[in-house]
Amino acid sequence: MTKKIAFIIFAGFCISVGLYPLIYFLIDPTFGLLNSKSDLLLNDGIWNIAFYAHISLGGLGLLIGWAQFNKKLRKNNVNLHRNIGKVYLISVLISGFSGLYIAYFATGGMVSTLGFSILAIVWIYTTLRAFLEIKNQSVKKHQKYMIYSYAACFAAVTLRIWLPILTALLQNYITAYRIVSWLCWIPNMIVAFYIVKREKLNNAYIRTNA
């Protein structure tokens, strides 16, 4: 019961933040993080293409990716699982490389740029590895890298949790943003590591007692 409630909360965060980019398109095009950007950057065509590609397809990846961890879906509807996976892969690649570009212009300078750049690289790498592993019929390794991939994707959620908290505590948006550029994803990867480790131990226990 506890796991079910936790998964519902997890899915709720993913869906709500996955839909978050709609605010930019339907309500306020200068919403949120854009308030900290210069007019010169906001009028840069390439940056705008990269920014909206990043938030739109990153949001889509977050919106659909959580469903891949539903065991019933994987077991009862393999084709849907594969199709969602294909959409997720394409979304991550476009959003990840776009994110790598816009990280160069991140608020907070080099500290933020480095944090978000490494996040983008980790996200792209783990997603590609997950794809290559399933192509090689290595299901367990595919699952492992997908856990890491979605942990990186979930940074979109944790960023929006940590940023207002740290801004309120530090009374300094720039400092908070620099910290969040690392805090939004490193704890996620640590949690992913322990999930992968636990799954490995469970599988070993099942094989030993089969």
Side-chain angles (χ1 to χ4, degrees):
M1 187 63 180
T2 303
K3 286 185 177 180
K4 187 174 182 180
I5 293 173
F7 189 79
I8 291 172
I9 294 172
F10 166 71
F13 273 122
C14 295
I15 294 169
S16 58
V17 178
L19 294 172
Y20 188 85
L22 291 176
I23 296 174
Y24 289 95
F25 296 102
L26 302 179
I27 300 175
D28 185 359
T30 61
F31 176 76
L33 299 176
L34 294 187
N35 287 320
S36 64
K37 303 301 181 184
S38 67
D39 291 337
L40 181 64
L41 190 61
L42 292 175
N43 289 316
D44 185 294
I46 296 176
W47 183 88
N48 272 280
I49 291 171
F51 175 77
Y52 286 106
H54 175 65
I55 65 168
S56 300
L57 293 169
L60 178 60
L62 187 66
L63 185 64
I64 64 175
W66 65 270
Q68 298 295 77
F69 298 98
N70 186 306
K71 292 182 180 179
K72 288 184 178 179
L73 174 67
R74 294 201 306 267
K75 183 178 179 180
N76 299 331
N77 202 327
V78 177
N79 286 333
L80 179 59
H81 176 74
R82 288 173 179 169
N83 289 332
I84 291 175
K86 291 174 184 176
V87 175
Y88 178 80
L89 172 67
I90 295 170
S91 298
V92 170
L93 292 180
I94 297 174
S95 180
F97 280 109
S98 299
L100 192 58
Y101 174 77
I102 65 173
Y104 180 77
F105 305 93
T107 301
M110 186 56 65
V111 173
S112 300
T113 293
L114 193 58
F116 287 126
S117 294
I118 296 174
L119 168 59
I121 292 168
V122 168
W123 194 25
I124 294 167
Y125 172 76
T126 54
T127 306
L128 283 175
R129 279 298 302 268
F131 171 71
L132 293 174
E133 294 297 348
I134 200 62
K135 291 287 286 185
N136 292 328
Q137 305 298 313
S138 182
V139 176
K140 295 300 179 185
K141 288 184 178 180
H142 166 73
Q143 291 174 345
K144 179 182 78 171
Y145 281 106
M146 275 305 302
I147 290 170
Y148 283 120
S149 171
Y150 203 69
C153 186
F154 198 73
V157 175
T158 46
L159 181 148
R160 287 164 179 82
I161 294 172
W162 278 116
L163 187 56
I165 294 173
L166 287 177
T167 302
L169 289 174
L170 300 174
Q171 294 296 302
N172 188 307
Y173 179 81
I174 300 298
T175 302
Y177 198 76
R178 286 172 179 155
I179 296 172
V180 165
S181 68
W182 298 87
L183 189 62
C184 72
W185 65 274
I186 291 179
N188 296 13
M189 304 309 289
I190 293 172
V191 171
F193 171 79
Y194 282 105
I195 292 173
V196 168
K197 187 176 181 180
R198 186 189 64 189
E199 290 293 323
K200 189 175 181 180
L201 290 172
N202 288 343
N203 291 333
Y205 177 83
I206 291 171
R207 286 196 300 271
T208 302
N209 293 276

